[in-house]
Amino acid sequence: MLLLNIDHVPGREIEALGLVKGTVVQSKNFGKDFMAGMKTLVGGEIIGYTEMLVEARQIATKRMVDEAAAMGADAIVNIRFGSSAVMQGAAEVIAYGTAVKLK
């Protein structure tokens, strides 16, 4: 599956099949959340949260790709990601784009 964050596939005609998305709400375990709280005292990257969001983006992307594959898509264009806090230590990540068939 070709994934692009532009609205076309260079050198190819496309037929839009529709919107596809994947979403996940991901949380960290208590131990990592506690260590993240300690990190706020000294500053710097909170690696536990970075890892959580990377994993959440991967899951959301896979779910989006699976939805596009079920529609018979060859590619997804105009891909975007969004995230929001759901509660302390948990975030929702959404991946969305337009499923297309290459001509």
Side-chain angles (χ1 to χ4, degrees), residues 12 27 41-42 56 63-64 73-75 78 90 103:
R12 301 291 297 267
S27 69
L41 297 174
V42 295
R63 290 178 180 172
M64 176 185 64
D74 300 313
N78 208 26
K103 294 183 179 183

Side-chain angles (χ1 to χ4, degrees), residues 8 15 21-22 24 32 43 48 52 57 73 77 80 92 102:
H8 64 284
E15 172 190 347
K21 75 266 174 233
V24 64
K32 285 189 177 183
M52 177 188 77
R57 277 191 297 276
V77 297
R80 300 291 184 258
E92 175 197 32
L102 300 177

